[in-house]
Amino acid sequence: MNLSPAAIQFAACAAIATGAAGLYLGAQNQRWLSRPLPAPWSGLAGAALLLLGVFLWSQVVQLSTAIFAALVLIMLLFIAFPCLGALRTLIRNTP
């Protein structure tokens, strides 16, 4: 089965977003869950998904481009996740 480059890039972005969320949810200061996920398992799953995303992206673009794009997406998500957690806390505490 041959997938289109757009489908592979979407799958890479989804894997990276899921991996970054797994890493975030294992952190002690995360604000999405009442208590964090077990750090070793969420870290292992998150890292595996990040590597899968880079691998998928490298099937469409050069490896250096895939690594750079993954790091940019990870930076964006690690900025957005705490902001979304803070927004959730503000909405929950609104009278």
Side-chain angles (χ1 to χ4, degrees):
M1 177 170 80
N2 290 333
L3 294 175
S4 69
I8 294 172
Q9 290 185 13
F10 179 79
C13 288
I16 290 171
T18 307
L23 290 175
Y24 175 73
L25 291 175
Q28 291 296 322
N29 292 328
Q30 59 87 20
R31 299 284 181 223
W32 287 6
L33 304 173
S34 59
R35 55 190 162 96
L37 296 175
W41 293 111
S42 66
L44 183 65
L49 285 167
L50 293 176
L51 288 174
L52 174 65
V54 171
F55 172 75
L56 288 172
W57 241 334
S58 70
Q59 302 302 305
V60 180
V61 298
Q62 292 180 1
L63 180 60
S64 59
T65 305
I67 292 170
F68 178 77
L71 290 175
V72 169
L73 182 57
I74 292 165
M75 285 189 296
L76 172 70
L77 292 171
F78 281 160
I79 292 170
F81 289 160
C83 293
L84 292 173
L87 181 63
R88 179 177 180 258
T89 303
L90 286 174
I91 290 172
R92 189 175 7 157
N93 293 337
T94 302

